[in-house]
Amino acid sequence: MPANRVAVLVLSLFTALLLQVTVVARLSFLGAKPDLVLVTVVCFALADGPGAGMGAGFGIGLVEDLLGSHTLGLLALILCVVGYASGVIRSYFDRLSTFTPMLVVGAMTAVAVMAYAGIGALVGDPRIDEDPVVRSLLLTSFYDVVLTPFVFAAVTALRGGPATS
Amino acid sequence: MYRDSRRTRVVLALLILTSFTLITIDYRAGDGTALRGLRSAAATVFGPVQRAVTGVVRPIGNALATLGDLGGLNDEVKDLQAENADLKNQLHQVDDLRRENDELRRLNGLTTRGGYKTVRCRVVAVGADNFEWTATVDCGSRDGIKNDQTVVNADGLVGKVIEVAPFTAQVLLAADPEFTVVGRLAAHGTSGPVTGNGVKPMEMQLLEPTAKVTKGEAIVSQGVQGGIVAGVPIGVVESVSRERSVLTRTVTVKPFVRFTALDVVAVVVQPPRKDPRNAVLLTAPPSPTPTPSPTPPACPTATPSPSPSPTPSGTPCVMPSASPSPSTPPRTFGPPSPSRTP
């Protein structure tokens, strides 16, 4: 990937994280928040492929881990895998319709929530309880799907037109 | 470009391995020193940025909410709308300032009643995911904030400081399942640990299972060395479990603080010299209507003696110090007002 694209990717991810912790995370409807960082990682993976997706996911996941109070490395792992998987899914499509990114984001959010809960339960995190897991599984996935068209449009515009495989 | 090349897979494997290593190290070390340093470095870098972004985002949010759609209208209408929006924006700002002023006054009242020495802060960021209940505030070690210090707002207990950077500090909110505080039923002195429960109400384990607990009773923190300072209002009893185990009884507690709408908070940098007991509670519980009650009137006759007669309920006033000896339960607290029941 050329250097200017890497710069765009890094800046976009940091912007997404900052918006997440200062604005988006405050919009907690019915006890669940949208996850702008995950949506951004998936959108970049869909635009730039598995390599960019996993790098972006790992990097921004690690920063989010450092800023949070949960186990270090947890989001780095999850977002890395999510970014890679989204990139691989992209390779099966010639052209992306409007709904493909939404579907991928919905599925990836569900995977991320379950992975977070699963690994959290393994390391004995008392926060992992049935209620928040079910809530975020349903609601966060929904919010993320709603966010996707906007983020994907922004990502496509930022990197200069849709990619061709 | 979209090819899943061999090199990509090798890098993926390496990144996954790194993540697992980090998770393992963090799990093993607990609050290990090396990772803690990394975290506070990240907070040092990000803290000022978060503060700046929050400062910028507040006015923009207001403007966006009021401006609306201006497209396709003639100049005059545009001008008028802009002016209107500007005025509305000003009105919003006045409303916001009024609310903030009210919040500050009530916060000031609470810290004065408790005798807490505090540093006032604003929440600049909140935890990013659905599981952790944390908030970042805009004061840090430069302002004298240290780990484990109690955080309150005008309504009561907010949480405790878990991570300090030079300009910001991270607060573990009382709603977080990892948060525990020793609470005491204000009316009869029975105590027990109160634990956060996410979006659900908090839970209290009564150490005296035979105690009679009624709905709507207030719970304040019991001062513990190195923990939450004494006398901070936590919440009211919402329900009492039917089953009585041999050792404890579970009581659900509705917290006074709304954890999803935090703005101005205060960090207690120095605990009170005297346990305020129930003195902090004595003003009316937080009401949604903005009725500022800066300082409660002093009691007509200061009776510091252990008089058995309770002060007439409904007239909140500050007692100089509640109970003289810790063995006698505080009788100075009247029955909770019915408005406190949820």
Side-chain angles (χ1 to χ4, degrees), chain A residues 20-21 26 33 47 65 67 69-72 84 116 126-127 136 140 163, chain B residues 2 4 8 19 23 26-27 39 123 125-130 132 170 176 178:
Chain A
Q20 173 72 19
V21 295
R26 286 176 185 244
K33 310 160 181 173
D65 281 336
L67 288 179
S69 70
H70 54 261
T71 312
L72 194 72
Y84 176 79
Y116 190 113
R127 292 156 176 158
S136 34
T140 306
Chain B
Y2 297 122
D4 174 21
T8 317
S19 306
I23 293 173
D26 198 23
Y27 177 56
R39 283 208 150 130
V123 172
V126 293
D129 65 56
N130 292 316
E132 57 184 18
Q170 199 176 31
D176 194 286
E178 276 192 353

PDB file of all heavy atoms in Angstrom, chain A residues 20-21 26 33 47 65 67 69-72 84 116 126-127 136 140 163, chain B residues 2 4 8 19 23 26-27 39 123 125-130 132 170 176 178:
ATOM      1  N   GLN A  20     -15.255   7.842  19.029  1.00  0.00           N
ATOM      2  CA  GLN A  20     -15.903   6.786  19.807  1.00  0.00           C
ATOM      3  C   GLN A  20     -15.906   7.136  21.293  1.00  0.00           C
ATOM      4  O   GLN A  20     -16.943   7.108  21.935  1.00  0.00           O
ATOM      5  CB  GLN A  20     -15.180   5.450  19.576  1.00  0.00           C
ATOM      6  CG  GLN A  20     -15.656   4.308  20.452  1.00  0.00           C
ATOM      7  CD  GLN A  20     -17.023   3.798  20.059  1.00  0.00           C
ATOM      8  OE1 GLN A  20     -17.486   4.027  18.963  1.00  0.00           O
ATOM      9  NE2 GLN A  20     -17.694   3.121  20.971  1.00  0.00           N
ATOM     10  N   VAL A  21     -14.730   7.482  21.852  1.00  0.00           N
ATOM     11  CA  VAL A  21     -14.679   7.689  23.306  1.00  0.00           C
ATOM     12  C   VAL A  21     -15.261   9.038  23.737  1.00  0.00           C
ATOM     13  O   VAL A  21     -15.709   9.168  24.873  1.00  0.00           O
ATOM     14  CB  VAL A  21     -13.254   7.528  23.889  1.00  0.00           C
ATOM     15  CG1 VAL A  21     -12.780   6.106  23.719  1.00  0.00           C
ATOM     16  CG2 VAL A  21     -12.276   8.495  23.268  1.00  0.00           C
ATOM     17  N   ARG A  26     -21.060   7.911  24.308  1.00  0.00           N
ATOM     18  CA  ARG A  26     -22.047   8.547  25.187  1.00  0.00           C
ATOM     19  C   ARG A  26     -23.463   8.291  24.706  1.00  0.00           C
ATOM     20  O   ARG A  26     -24.416   8.471  25.444  1.00  0.00           O
ATOM     21  CB  ARG A  26     -21.824  10.051  25.230  1.00  0.00           C
ATOM     22  CG  ARG A  26     -20.617  10.441  26.053  1.00  0.00           C
ATOM     23  CD  ARG A  26     -20.434  11.931  25.957  1.00  0.00           C
ATOM     24  NE  ARG A  26     -19.232  12.340  26.639  1.00  0.00           N
ATOM     25  CZ  ARG A  26     -19.232  13.127  27.706  1.00  0.00           C
ATOM     26  NH1 ARG A  26     -20.338  13.574  28.200  1.00  0.00           N
ATOM     27  NH2 ARG A  26     -18.098  13.453  28.277  1.00  0.00           N
ATOM     28  N   LYS A  33     -23.918   0.534  23.118  1.00  0.00           N
ATOM     29  CA  LYS A  33     -23.352   1.637  22.335  1.00  0.00           C
ATOM     30  C   LYS A  33     -22.948   1.138  20.960  1.00  0.00           C
ATOM     31  O   LYS A  33     -22.562  -0.003  20.819  1.00  0.00           O
ATOM     32  CB  LYS A  33     -22.092   2.166  23.021  1.00  0.00           C
ATOM     33  CG  LYS A  33     -22.258   2.456  24.469  1.00  0.00           C
ATOM     34  CD  LYS A  33     -20.900   2.482  25.151  1.00  0.00           C
ATOM     35  CE  LYS A  33     -21.070   2.747  26.626  1.00  0.00           C
ATOM     36  NZ  LYS A  33     -19.813   2.623  27.352  1.00  0.00           N
ATOM     37  N   ALA A  47     -12.304  -2.205   1.726  1.00  0.00           N
ATOM     38  CA  ALA A  47     -11.765  -1.369   0.660  1.00  0.00           C
ATOM     39  C   ALA A  47     -10.346  -1.774   0.287  1.00  0.00           C
ATOM     40  O   ALA A  47      -9.965  -1.712  -0.875  1.00  0.00           O
ATOM     41  CB  ALA A  47     -11.805   0.097   1.082  1.00  0.00           C
ATOM     42  N   ASP A  65      -7.168  -0.945  23.762  1.00  0.00           N
ATOM     43  CA  ASP A  65      -6.854  -1.747  24.950  1.00  0.00           C
ATOM     44  C   ASP A  65      -6.130  -0.904  25.985  1.00  0.00           C
ATOM     45  O   ASP A  65      -6.420  -0.957  27.176  1.00  0.00           O
ATOM     46  CB  ASP A  65      -5.953  -2.923  24.570  1.00  0.00           C
ATOM     47  CG  ASP A  65      -6.740  -4.052  23.938  1.00  0.00           C
ATOM     48  OD1 ASP A  65      -7.948  -4.140  24.188  1.00  0.00           O
ATOM     49  OD2 ASP A  65      -6.130  -4.837  23.192  1.00  0.00           O
ATOM     50  N   LEU A  67      -6.165   2.282  26.369  1.00  0.00           N
ATOM     51  CA  LEU A  67      -7.003   3.332  26.944  1.00  0.00           C
ATOM     52  C   LEU A  67      -8.078   2.768  27.853  1.00  0.00           C
ATOM     53  O   LEU A  67      -8.571   3.453  28.730  1.00  0.00           O
ATOM     54  CB  LEU A  67      -7.667   4.148  25.828  1.00  0.00           C
ATOM     55  CG  LEU A  67      -6.747   5.067  25.046  1.00  0.00           C
ATOM     56  CD1 LEU A  67      -7.526   5.778  23.969  1.00  0.00           C
ATOM     57  CD2 LEU A  67      -6.080   6.071  25.962  1.00  0.00           C
ATOM     58  N   SER A  69      -9.896  -0.385  30.421  1.00  0.00           N
ATOM     59  CA  SER A  69      -9.475  -1.012  31.672  1.00  0.00           C
ATOM     60  C   SER A  69      -9.607  -2.522  31.599  1.00  0.00           C
ATOM     61  O   SER A  69      -9.440  -3.214  32.586  1.00  0.00           O
ATOM     62  CB  SER A  69     -10.294  -0.455  32.833  1.00  0.00           C
ATOM     63  OG  SER A  69     -11.620  -0.914  32.734  1.00  0.00           O
ATOM     64  N   HIS A  70      -9.920  -3.055  30.431  1.00  0.00           N
ATOM     65  CA  HIS A  70     -10.062  -4.508  30.290  1.00  0.00           C
ATOM     66  C   HIS A  70      -8.703  -5.139  30.012  1.00  0.00           C
ATOM     67  O   HIS A  70      -7.697  -4.430  29.957  1.00  0.00           O
ATOM     68  CB  HIS A  70     -11.056  -4.815  29.173  1.00  0.00           C
ATOM     69  CG  HIS A  70     -10.699  -4.157  27.879  1.00  0.00           C
ATOM     70  ND1 HIS A  70     -11.282  -2.993  27.461  1.00  0.00           N
ATOM     71  CD2 HIS A  70      -9.789  -4.479  26.937  1.00  0.00           C
ATOM     72  CE1 HIS A  70     -10.758  -2.645  26.307  1.00  0.00           C
ATOM     73  NE2 HIS A  70      -9.833  -3.517  25.977  1.00  0.00           N
ATOM     74  N   THR A  71      -8.688  -6.453  29.813  1.00  0.00           N
ATOM     75  CA  THR A  71      -7.436  -7.163  29.579  1.00  0.00           C
ATOM     76  C   THR A  71      -6.716  -6.621  28.343  1.00  0.00           C
ATOM     77  O   THR A  71      -7.329  -6.448  27.299  1.00  0.00           O
ATOM     78  CB  THR A  71      -7.717  -8.662  29.365  1.00  0.00           C
ATOM     79  OG1 THR A  71      -8.583  -9.095  30.400  1.00  0.00           O
ATOM     80  CG2 THR A  71      -6.441  -9.462  29.383  1.00  0.00           C
ATOM     81  N   LEU A  72      -5.424  -6.380  28.498  1.00  0.00           N
ATOM     82  CA  LEU A  72      -4.635  -5.830  27.391  1.00  0.00           C
ATOM     83  C   LEU A  72      -4.484  -6.885  26.294  1.00  0.00           C
ATOM     84  O   LEU A  72      -4.203  -8.035  26.579  1.00  0.00           O
ATOM     85  CB  LEU A  72      -3.261  -5.403  27.916  1.00  0.00           C
ATOM     86  CG  LEU A  72      -2.443  -4.527  26.999  1.00  0.00           C
ATOM     87  CD1 LEU A  72      -3.030  -3.142  26.948  1.00  0.00           C
ATOM     88  CD2 LEU A  72      -1.008  -4.468  27.479  1.00  0.00           C
ATOM     89  N   TYR A  84      -8.967  -9.025   9.191  1.00  0.00           N
ATOM     90  CA  TYR A  84      -8.491 -10.029   8.242  1.00  0.00           C
ATOM     91  C   TYR A  84      -9.675 -10.738   7.581  1.00  0.00           C
ATOM     92  O   TYR A  84      -9.751 -10.848   6.350  1.00  0.00           O
ATOM     93  CB  TYR A  84      -7.603 -11.037   8.968  1.00  0.00           C
ATOM     94  CG  TYR A  84      -7.130 -12.163   8.103  1.00  0.00           C
ATOM     95  CD1 TYR A  84      -6.072 -11.984   7.218  1.00  0.00           C
ATOM     96  CD2 TYR A  84      -7.740 -13.424   8.152  1.00  0.00           C
ATOM     97  CE1 TYR A  84      -5.635 -13.011   6.409  1.00  0.00           C
ATOM     98  CE2 TYR A  84      -7.316 -14.454   7.348  1.00  0.00           C
ATOM     99  CZ  TYR A  84      -6.260 -14.246   6.474  1.00  0.00           C
ATOM    100  OH  TYR A  84      -5.834 -15.260   5.668  1.00  0.00           O
ATOM    101  N   TYR A 116     -15.251 -11.287  22.577  1.00  0.00           N
ATOM    102  CA  TYR A 116     -14.950 -10.483  23.779  1.00  0.00           C
ATOM    103  C   TYR A 116     -15.495 -11.192  25.023  1.00  0.00           C
ATOM    104  O   TYR A 116     -14.804 -11.363  26.020  1.00  0.00           O
ATOM    105  CB  TYR A 116     -15.594  -9.107  23.615  1.00  0.00           C
ATOM    106  CG  TYR A 116     -15.190  -8.077  24.643  1.00  0.00           C
ATOM    107  CD1 TYR A 116     -14.448  -6.971  24.275  1.00  0.00           C
ATOM    108  CD2 TYR A 116     -15.567  -8.189  25.975  1.00  0.00           C
ATOM    109  CE1 TYR A 116     -14.082  -6.013  25.197  1.00  0.00           C
ATOM    110  CE2 TYR A 116     -15.204  -7.241  26.904  1.00  0.00           C
ATOM    111  CZ  TYR A 116     -14.462  -6.147  26.508  1.00  0.00           C
ATOM    112  OH  TYR A 116     -14.116  -5.204  27.428  1.00  0.00           O
ATOM    113  N   PRO A 126     -15.368 -10.289  35.675  1.00  0.00           N
ATOM    114  CA  PRO A 126     -16.700 -10.339  36.288  1.00  0.00           C
ATOM    115  C   PRO A 126     -17.749  -9.552  35.508  1.00  0.00           C
ATOM    116  O   PRO A 126     -18.929  -9.641  35.798  1.00  0.00           O
ATOM    117  CB  PRO A 126     -16.478  -9.713  37.663  1.00  0.00           C
ATOM    118  CG  PRO A 126     -15.315  -8.825  37.480  1.00  0.00           C
ATOM    119  CD  PRO A 126     -14.439  -9.491  36.454  1.00  0.00           C
ATOM    120  N   ARG A 127     -17.305  -8.763  34.511  1.00  0.00           N
ATOM    121  CA  ARG A 127     -18.280  -7.961  33.770  1.00  0.00           C
ATOM    122  C   ARG A 127     -19.067  -8.796  32.788  1.00  0.00           C
ATOM    123  O   ARG A 127     -20.111  -8.376  32.309  1.00  0.00           O
ATOM    124  CB  ARG A 127     -17.545  -6.890  32.968  1.00  0.00           C
ATOM    125  CG  ARG A 127     -16.915  -5.851  33.831  1.00  0.00           C
ATOM    126  CD  ARG A 127     -15.789  -5.228  33.077  1.00  0.00           C
ATOM    127  NE  ARG A 127     -15.212  -4.155  33.846  1.00  0.00           N
ATOM    128  CZ  ARG A 127     -13.996  -3.709  33.657  1.00  0.00           C
ATOM    129  NH1 ARG A 127     -13.230  -4.281  32.758  1.00  0.00           N
ATOM    130  NH2 ARG A 127     -13.532  -2.728  34.381  1.00  0.00           N
ATOM    131  N   SER A 136     -25.647  -6.321  23.765  1.00  0.00           N
ATOM    132  CA  SER A 136     -24.749  -5.778  22.751  1.00  0.00           C
ATOM    133  C   SER A 136     -24.764  -6.639  21.500  1.00  0.00           C
ATOM    134  O   SER A 136     -24.537  -6.132  20.412  1.00  0.00           O
ATOM    135  CB  SER A 136     -23.327  -5.605  23.283  1.00  0.00           C
ATOM    136  OG  SER A 136     -23.008  -6.581  24.187  1.00  0.00           O
ATOM    137  N   THR A 140     -25.840  -3.514  19.546  1.00  0.00           N
ATOM    138  CA  THR A 140     -24.632  -2.961  18.938  1.00  0.00           C
ATOM    139  C   THR A 140     -24.539  -3.383  17.480  1.00  0.00           C
ATOM    140  O   THR A 140     -24.177  -2.582  16.614  1.00  0.00           O
ATOM    141  CB  THR A 140     -23.388  -3.401  19.718  1.00  0.00           C
ATOM    142  OG1 THR A 140     -23.571  -3.064  21.080  1.00  0.00           O
ATOM    143  CG2 THR A 140     -22.140  -2.723  19.212  1.00  0.00           C
ATOM    144  N   ALA A 163     -12.275   0.648  -4.877  1.00  0.00           N
ATOM    145  CA  ALA A 163     -11.155  -0.175  -5.318  1.00  0.00           C
ATOM    146  C   ALA A 163     -11.617  -1.146  -6.385  1.00  0.00           C
ATOM    147  O   ALA A 163     -12.780  -1.524  -6.451  1.00  0.00           O
ATOM    148  CB  ALA A 163     -10.587  -0.945  -4.142  1.00  0.00           C
TER     149      ALA A 163
ATOM    150  N   TYR B   2      -6.566  -7.824  -3.209  1.00  0.00           N
ATOM    151  CA  TYR B   2      -7.387  -8.453  -2.175  1.00  0.00           C
ATOM    152  C   TYR B   2      -6.918  -9.869  -1.874  1.00  0.00           C
ATOM    153  O   TYR B   2      -7.521 -10.563  -1.081  1.00  0.00           O
ATOM    154  CB  TYR B   2      -8.848  -8.478  -2.611  1.00  0.00           C
ATOM    155  CG  TYR B   2      -9.385  -7.092  -2.787  1.00  0.00           C
ATOM    156  CD1 TYR B   2      -9.909  -6.683  -3.990  1.00  0.00           C
ATOM    157  CD2 TYR B   2      -9.327  -6.193  -1.734  1.00  0.00           C
ATOM    158  CE1 TYR B   2     -10.379  -5.409  -4.151  1.00  0.00           C
ATOM    159  CE2 TYR B   2      -9.797  -4.915  -1.894  1.00  0.00           C
ATOM    160  CZ  TYR B   2     -10.317  -4.519  -3.101  1.00  0.00           C
ATOM    161  OH  TYR B   2     -10.782  -3.261  -3.245  1.00  0.00           O
ATOM    162  N   ASP B   4      -5.311 -13.062  -0.522  1.00  0.00           N
ATOM    163  CA  ASP B   4      -4.914 -13.472   0.806  1.00  0.00           C
ATOM    164  C   ASP B   4      -3.587 -14.200   0.633  1.00  0.00           C
ATOM    165  O   ASP B   4      -3.551 -15.417   0.542  1.00  0.00           O
ATOM    166  CB  ASP B   4      -6.030 -14.367   1.341  1.00  0.00           C
ATOM    167  CG  ASP B   4      -5.667 -14.980   2.657  1.00  0.00           C
ATOM    168  OD1 ASP B   4      -4.786 -14.435   3.325  1.00  0.00           O
ATOM    169  OD2 ASP B   4      -6.274 -15.997   2.991  1.00  0.00           O
ATOM    170  N   THR B   8       0.669 -12.447   4.091  1.00  0.00           N
ATOM    171  CA  THR B   8      -0.387 -11.921   4.945  1.00  0.00           C
ATOM    172  C   THR B   8      -0.717 -12.894   6.068  1.00  0.00           C
ATOM    173  O   THR B   8      -0.893 -12.520   7.212  1.00  0.00           O
ATOM    174  CB  THR B   8      -1.657 -11.657   4.109  1.00  0.00           C
ATOM    175  OG1 THR B   8      -1.283 -11.046   2.895  1.00  0.00           O
ATOM    176  CG2 THR B   8      -2.619 -10.791   4.856  1.00  0.00           C
ATOM    177  N   SER B  19      -1.001 -10.840  20.383  1.00  0.00           N
ATOM    178  CA  SER B  19      -2.180 -10.545  21.203  1.00  0.00           C
ATOM    179  C   SER B  19      -2.301 -11.528  22.355  1.00  0.00           C
ATOM    180  O   SER B  19      -2.520 -11.145  23.506  1.00  0.00           O
ATOM    181  CB  SER B  19      -3.443 -10.620  20.351  1.00  0.00           C
ATOM    182  OG  SER B  19      -3.331  -9.811  19.234  1.00  0.00           O
ATOM    183  N   ILE B  23      -2.347 -10.789  26.312  1.00  0.00           N
ATOM    184  CA  ILE B  23      -3.459 -11.197  27.188  1.00  0.00           C
ATOM    185  C   ILE B  23      -2.917 -12.027  28.345  1.00  0.00           C
ATOM    186  O   ILE B  23      -3.275 -11.829  29.508  1.00  0.00           O
ATOM    187  CB  ILE B  23      -4.521 -11.988  26.384  1.00  0.00           C
ATOM    188  CG1 ILE B  23      -5.205 -11.070  25.382  1.00  0.00           C
ATOM    189  CG2 ILE B  23      -5.539 -12.628  27.308  1.00  0.00           C
ATOM    190  CD1 ILE B  23      -6.138 -11.767  24.430  1.00  0.00           C
ATOM    191  N   ASP B  26      -0.923  -9.831  30.807  1.00  0.00           N
ATOM    192  CA  ASP B  26      -1.827  -8.979  31.581  1.00  0.00           C
ATOM    193  C   ASP B  26      -2.594  -9.803  32.608  1.00  0.00           C
ATOM    194  O   ASP B  26      -2.790  -9.393  33.746  1.00  0.00           O
ATOM    195  CB  ASP B  26      -2.792  -8.273  30.627  1.00  0.00           C
ATOM    196  CG  ASP B  26      -3.453  -7.082  31.282  1.00  0.00           C
ATOM    197  OD1 ASP B  26      -2.873  -6.561  32.261  1.00  0.00           O
ATOM    198  OD2 ASP B  26      -4.522  -6.665  30.826  1.00  0.00           O
ATOM    199  N   TYR B  27      -3.005 -11.002  32.207  1.00  0.00           N
ATOM    200  CA  TYR B  27      -3.779 -11.882  33.091  1.00  0.00           C
ATOM    201  C   TYR B  27      -2.930 -12.343  34.267  1.00  0.00           C
ATOM    202  O   TYR B  27      -3.344 -12.312  35.418  1.00  0.00           O
ATOM    203  CB  TYR B  27      -4.277 -13.077  32.288  1.00  0.00           C
ATOM    204  CG  TYR B  27      -5.025 -14.104  33.100  1.00  0.00           C
ATOM    205  CD1 TYR B  27      -6.135 -13.725  33.849  1.00  0.00           C
ATOM    206  CD2 TYR B  27      -4.623 -15.430  33.111  1.00  0.00           C
ATOM    207  CE1 TYR B  27      -6.829 -14.656  34.582  1.00  0.00           C
ATOM    208  CE2 TYR B  27      -5.314 -16.363  33.835  1.00  0.00           C
ATOM    209  CZ  TYR B  27      -6.425 -15.986  34.578  1.00  0.00           C
ATOM    210  OH  TYR B  27      -7.098 -16.908  35.304  1.00  0.00           O
ATOM    211  N   ARG B  39       0.114   1.705  29.836  1.00  0.00           N
ATOM    212  CA  ARG B  39      -1.232   2.291  29.878  1.00  0.00           C
ATOM    213  C   ARG B  39      -1.169   3.753  30.242  1.00  0.00           C
ATOM    214  O   ARG B  39      -1.863   4.579  29.644  1.00  0.00           O
ATOM    215  CB  ARG B  39      -2.086   1.560  30.906  1.00  0.00           C
ATOM    216  CG  ARG B  39      -2.577   0.236  30.404  1.00  0.00           C
ATOM    217  CD  ARG B  39      -3.884  -0.149  31.059  1.00  0.00           C
ATOM    218  NE  ARG B  39      -4.634  -0.966  30.131  1.00  0.00           N
ATOM    219  CZ  ARG B  39      -5.177  -2.133  30.447  1.00  0.00           C
ATOM    220  NH1 ARG B  39      -5.103  -2.593  31.672  1.00  0.00           N
ATOM    221  NH2 ARG B  39      -5.830  -2.817  29.541  1.00  0.00           N
ATOM    222  N   VAL B 123     -16.177  15.192  32.945  1.00  0.00           N
ATOM    223  CA  VAL B 123     -15.984  13.944  32.208  1.00  0.00           C
ATOM    224  C   VAL B 123     -15.701  14.287  30.752  1.00  0.00           C
ATOM    225  O   VAL B 123     -16.453  15.023  30.133  1.00  0.00           O
ATOM    226  CB  VAL B 123     -17.240  13.064  32.330  1.00  0.00           C
ATOM    227  CG1 VAL B 123     -17.140  11.858  31.421  1.00  0.00           C
ATOM    228  CG2 VAL B 123     -17.431  12.641  33.775  1.00  0.00           C
ATOM    229  N   ALA B 125     -14.429  11.689  28.461  1.00  0.00           N
ATOM    230  CA  ALA B 125     -14.627  10.501  27.626  1.00  0.00           C
ATOM    231  C   ALA B 125     -15.208   9.393  28.487  1.00  0.00           C
ATOM    232  O   ALA B 125     -15.070   9.409  29.708  1.00  0.00           O
ATOM    233  CB  ALA B 125     -13.312  10.041  27.003  1.00  0.00           C
ATOM    234  N   VAL B 126     -15.874   8.453  27.836  1.00  0.00           N
ATOM    235  CA  VAL B 126     -16.421   7.314  28.586  1.00  0.00           C
ATOM    236  C   VAL B 126     -15.921   6.023  27.959  1.00  0.00           C
ATOM    237  O   VAL B 126     -15.419   6.025  26.848  1.00  0.00           O
ATOM    238  CB  VAL B 126     -17.961   7.334  28.621  1.00  0.00           C
ATOM    239  CG1 VAL B 126     -18.466   8.501  29.412  1.00  0.00           C
ATOM    240  CG2 VAL B 126     -18.525   7.355  27.214  1.00  0.00           C
ATOM    241  N   GLY B 127     -16.055   4.913  28.694  1.00  0.00           N
ATOM    242  CA  GLY B 127     -15.573   3.616  28.227  1.00  0.00           C
ATOM    243  C   GLY B 127     -16.140   3.289  26.856  1.00  0.00           C
ATOM    244  O   GLY B 127     -17.299   3.554  26.578  1.00  0.00           O
ATOM    245  N   ALA B 128     -15.297   2.687  25.994  1.00  0.00           N
ATOM    246  CA  ALA B 128     -15.700   2.526  24.601  1.00  0.00           C
ATOM    247  C   ALA B 128     -16.655   1.368  24.386  1.00  0.00           C
ATOM    248  O   ALA B 128     -17.410   1.368  23.438  1.00  0.00           O
ATOM    249  CB  ALA B 128     -14.469   2.354  23.723  1.00  0.00           C
ATOM    250  N   ASP B 129     -16.640   0.354  25.219  1.00  0.00           N
ATOM    251  CA  ASP B 129     -17.494  -0.799  24.924  1.00  0.00           C
ATOM    252  C   ASP B 129     -18.617  -0.960  25.941  1.00  0.00           C
ATOM    253  O   ASP B 129     -18.770  -0.184  26.864  1.00  0.00           O
ATOM    254  CB  ASP B 129     -16.656  -2.082  24.790  1.00  0.00           C
ATOM    255  CG  ASP B 129     -15.982  -2.468  26.085  1.00  0.00           C
ATOM    256  OD1 ASP B 129     -16.693  -2.616  27.083  1.00  0.00           O
ATOM    257  OD2 ASP B 129     -14.752  -2.627  26.086  1.00  0.00           O
ATOM    258  N   ASN B 130     -19.421  -2.002  25.716  1.00  0.00           N
ATOM    259  CA  ASN B 130     -20.642  -2.176  26.513  1.00  0.00           C
ATOM    260  C   ASN B 130     -20.389  -2.821  27.864  1.00  0.00           C
ATOM    261  O   ASN B 130     -21.299  -2.954  28.657  1.00  0.00           O
ATOM    262  CB  ASN B 130     -21.631  -3.045  25.748  1.00  0.00           C
ATOM    263  CG  ASN B 130     -22.147  -2.335  24.537  1.00  0.00           C
ATOM    264  OD1 ASN B 130     -22.480  -1.168  24.599  1.00  0.00           O
ATOM    265  ND2 ASN B 130     -22.190  -3.037  23.421  1.00  0.00           N
ATOM    266  N   GLU B 132     -17.386  -2.376  30.036  1.00  0.00           N
ATOM    267  CA  GLU B 132     -16.704  -1.674  31.106  1.00  0.00           C
ATOM    268  C   GLU B 132     -17.361  -0.319  31.353  1.00  0.00           C
ATOM    269  O   GLU B 132     -17.705   0.405  30.427  1.00  0.00           O
ATOM    270  CB  GLU B 132     -15.216  -1.505  30.802  1.00  0.00           C
ATOM    271  CG  GLU B 132     -14.923  -0.794  29.518  1.00  0.00           C
ATOM    272  CD  GLU B 132     -13.423  -0.759  29.266  1.00  0.00           C
ATOM    273  OE1 GLU B 132     -12.705  -1.551  29.882  1.00  0.00           O
ATOM    274  OE2 GLU B 132     -12.997   0.075  28.465  1.00  0.00           O
ATOM    275  N   GLN B 170      -8.617   8.073  34.914  1.00  0.00           N
ATOM    276  CA  GLN B 170      -9.697   7.166  34.569  1.00  0.00           C
ATOM    277  C   GLN B 170     -10.438   6.755  35.833  1.00  0.00           C
ATOM    278  O   GLN B 170      -9.828   6.449  36.853  1.00  0.00           O
ATOM    279  CB  GLN B 170      -9.146   5.938  33.855  1.00  0.00           C
ATOM    280  CG  GLN B 170     -10.223   5.213  33.077  1.00  0.00           C
ATOM    281  CD  GLN B 170      -9.673   4.055  32.285  1.00  0.00           C
ATOM    282  OE1 GLN B 170      -8.699   3.439  32.698  1.00  0.00           O
ATOM    283  NE2 GLN B 170     -10.294   3.755  31.172  1.00  0.00           N
ATOM    284  N   ASP B 176     -19.842  -0.563  37.489  1.00  0.00           N
ATOM    285  CA  ASP B 176     -19.014  -1.627  36.935  1.00  0.00           C
ATOM    286  C   ASP B 176     -19.031  -2.836  37.858  1.00  0.00           C
ATOM    287  O   ASP B 176     -18.897  -2.689  39.079  1.00  0.00           O
ATOM    288  CB  ASP B 176     -17.570  -1.129  36.768  1.00  0.00           C
ATOM    289  CG  ASP B 176     -16.755  -2.067  35.902  1.00  0.00           C
ATOM    290  OD1 ASP B 176     -16.396  -3.163  36.382  1.00  0.00           O
ATOM    291  OD2 ASP B 176     -16.503  -1.715  34.747  1.00  0.00           O
ATOM    292  N   GLU B 178     -16.861  -4.791  38.568  1.00  0.00           N
ATOM    293  CA  GLU B 178     -15.633  -4.949  39.347  1.00  0.00           C
ATOM    294  C   GLU B 178     -15.594  -3.992  40.529  1.00  0.00           C
ATOM    295  O   GLU B 178     -14.661  -4.024  41.316  1.00  0.00           O
ATOM    296  CB  GLU B 178     -14.409  -4.702  38.452  1.00  0.00           C
ATOM    297  CG  GLU B 178     -14.004  -5.928  37.695  1.00  0.00           C
ATOM    298  CD  GLU B 178     -12.657  -5.795  37.037  1.00  0.00           C
ATOM    299  OE1 GLU B 178     -12.084  -4.693  37.057  1.00  0.00           O
ATOM    300  OE2 GLU B 178     -12.189  -6.802  36.496  1.00  0.00           O
TER     301      GLU B 178
END
